[in-house]
Amino acid sequence: MNILDKIVADKYKEVDLKKSLLPVAQLEQSVLFKRTRNSLASALQNSSTGIIAEHKRRSPSKGTINQNTNVGQVAIGYQKADVCGMSVLTDIKYFGGSLEDLQLARASVTMPLLRKEFIIDEYQIIEAKSNGADVILLIAAVLSKEKIKTFSELAKSLDLDVLLEVHNEEELHKSIMPSLDMLGVNNRNLKTFEVDLDTSKSLAKIIPDDFVKVSESGISSLEAIRDLKQFGYEGFLIGENFMKTNNPGKSAKEFIQKLK
């Protein structure tokens, strides 16, 4: 069993427990459930840099990245750096994140927030909305075409943006549908955790122009972003590069200033 399979197996158990503790009707009573989204797709289309900065404490591939951050302060730093949006890891077991991180980020900033999670159940989409997310991530590697359709249509009905992540041509072909806003290409193979930016380049030509193109993972240099922009990418998700420093917001600001 590879790491992705382990994460998904644990996620099913986690979601089953959450459903028994906090029913959907209760999630829908959240004050945040009624807020209008701040669209990440629009922010990326209107930006010259396209940076989505991530809050990530650790990962299966890198181990501990930064355990000493205050997510609210990181969010404020990112917003001051003029990023387009912030990705917040909410997986506890493998990434050290939580829904509380999403809540704290939402309480601290107005910019678009992406709930970065392994979504395998409609419950998690309602949960994302009730905790202040503007965007959800769907991962084609763990979902059937039918589930991608069902989940993305539910998200749209809840006024959420949808970022669909693919790793190869097969996943891309099964995933293209009108209920998506952004198509993200993850340069990291989720089964081996190896990174190759050529993944984004090779898939760029077959992603329809209807979708905002986002490149994810392994992006650490200005040159990589300038290169990927030539392939039509408008969004660039960067986590470890900022998070491994003592001041992620400051690192993001310096990076973006150079990019401009």
Side-chain angles (χ1 to χ4, degrees):
M1 186 183 279
N2 61 50
I3 187 66
L4 182 60
D5 292 337
K6 288 179 185 172
I7 292 171
V8 171
D10 284 335
K11 196 58 60 178
Y12 275 104
K13 294 174 191 170
E14 180 190 313
V15 173
D16 282 345
L17 178 61
K18 282 186 172 184
K19 282 174 161 179
S20 68
L21 296 171
L22 195 63
V24 165
Q26 204 167 327
L27 292 175
E28 292 173 341
Q29 295 307 307
S30 162
V31 174
L32 292 170
F33 199 77
K34 298 173 180 63
R35 65 179 285 278
T36 302
R37 86 183 185 283
N38 189 352
S39 173
L40 178 60
S42 298
L44 293 174
Q45 288 174 310
N46 294 309
S47 168
S48 61
T49 60
I51 302 298
I52 306 164
E54 191 157 81
H55 182 267
K56 177 163 63 174
R57 292 187 179 86
R58 65 174 188 263
S59 76
S61 61
K62 298 288 184 181
T64 298
I65 297 166
N66 192 334
Q67 285 290 135
N68 304 314
T69 62
N70 176 305
V71 68
Q73 290 175 356
V74 172
I76 291 167
Y78 281 160
Q79 185 160 278
K80 285 180 179 175
D82 202 25
V83 303
C84 292
M86 178 176 176
S87 166
V88 183
L89 262 299
T90 61
D91 176 80
I92 299 171
K93 184 171 181 179
Y94 295 91
F95 292 88
S98 67
L99 278 169
E100 286 72 24
D101 285 342
L102 183 60
Q103 293 164 5
L104 282 167
R106 180 77 289 153
S108 305
V109 294
T110 56
M111 66 179 167
L113 295 181
L114 162 69
R115 182 189 185 187
K116 186 85 173 286
E117 181 57 90
F118 296 82
I119 290 179
I120 44 86
D121 193 288
E122 291 180 37
Y123 180 88
Q124 294 162 286
I125 301 169
I126 297 164
E127 192 179 51
K129 177 71 176 177
S130 71
N131 283 278
D134 298 284
V135 196
I136 60 157
L137 174 75
L138 297 179
I139 302 173
V142 301
L143 298 171
S144 64
K145 182 174 184 175
E146 291 69 32
K147 281 195 173 178
I148 293 169
K149 184 175 189 292
T150 301
F151 290 178
S152 57
E153 287 177 353
L154 172 61
K156 299 313 295 177
S157 76
L158 295 174
D159 192 35
L160 290 167
D161 273 1
V162 180
L163 169 62
L164 190 283
E165 176 180 299
V166 300
H167 301 81
N168 55 46
E169 193 169 336
E170 182 187 354
E171 290 176 5
L172 178 60
H173 286 310
K174 82 170 182 184
S175 306
I176 293 172
M177 55 189 74
S179 45
L180 308 175
D181 301 285
M182 296 161 280
L183 268 165
V185 177
N186 194 336
N187 302 303
R188 176 173 284 116
N189 183 316
L190 284 185
K191 294 179 179 175
T192 65
F193 277 85
E194 292 173 355
V195 174
D196 185 358
L197 291 183
D198 284 340
T199 307
S200 281
K201 296 176 186 178
S202 64
L203 291 181
K205 59 183 178 292
I206 50 177
I207 297 175
D209 292 335
D210 312 6
F211 306 104
V212 176
K213 294 187 184 79
V214 178
S215 185
E216 310 168 26
S217 297
I219 301 167
S220 58
S221 69
L222 302 172
E223 292 71 26
I225 289 176
R226 290 175 182 138
D227 192 15
L228 288 165
K229 279 188 172 187
Q230 295 178 49
F231 289 83
Y233 285 92
E234 295 177 277
F236 309 92
L237 195 146
I238 301 177
E240 184 195 335
N241 204 43
F242 302 145
M243 285 299 297
K244 67 185 179 184
T245 67
N246 291 329
N247 190 331
K250 184 177 176 220
S251 299
K253 186 172 186 177
E254 290 169 355
F255 188 89
I256 286 169
Q257 284 173 341
K258 288 175 190 169
L259 191 58
K260 287 179 177 176

